[in-house]
Amino acid sequence: MKPENNHGLKRVFRATGFSMQGLKSAWKNEAAFRQETVLACLMLPVALLLNISSTERILLIMTILIVLIVELLNSAIEAVVDRVGDEIHPLSGQAKDIASAAVFLSLVLCAVTWGIVIWPLLF
């Protein structure tokens, strides 16, 4: 059931609270999210300290955040599939595999972007 008087700033505060609950849940229950978050915490300062253009800096930061966002969506899809039932079903496997592929592509995007931006600085 939807809560009454759920509009304006009250809605924003409630939505923020739910988002924080989601982040806490992902941190607690998802090893991949923890690993990617730790990696992001290491990579973000590097992106801020590199002698690169603002556009390149934004690209580096965005690709890091894309990985985290896609991992959260992957975890949500896996949780819903697992909630629906324990039996093995081809569509359940397909949903999980496709979500996992999205994470993989976001990691490739991140690696390629970082490689392109950092390569000239190294050589």
Side-chain angles (χ1 to χ4, degrees), residues 50-118:
L50 286 173
N51 186 22
I52 55 177
S53 71
S54 296
T55 303
E56 290 171 323
R57 190 176 328 281
I58 290 167
L59 286 171
L60 296 184
I61 293 169
M62 283 177 53
T63 58
I64 294 168
L65 293 176
I66 287 170
V67 169
L68 295 175
I69 291 165
V70 175
E71 184 62 51
L72 288 169
L73 293 171
N74 175 53
S75 297
I77 290 168
E78 288 184 356
V80 169
V81 168
D82 291 344
R83 165 66 176 89
V84 169
D86 291 334
E87 74 279 353
I88 295 176
H89 191 281
L91 290 177
S92 297
Q94 182 180 353
K96 287 184 168 190
D97 291 347
I98 291 171
S100 178
V103 174
F104 174 74
L105 289 178
S106 72
L107 288 166
V108 169
L109 173 66
C110 188
V112 168
T113 303
W114 275 72
I116 289 171
V117 171
I118 291 177

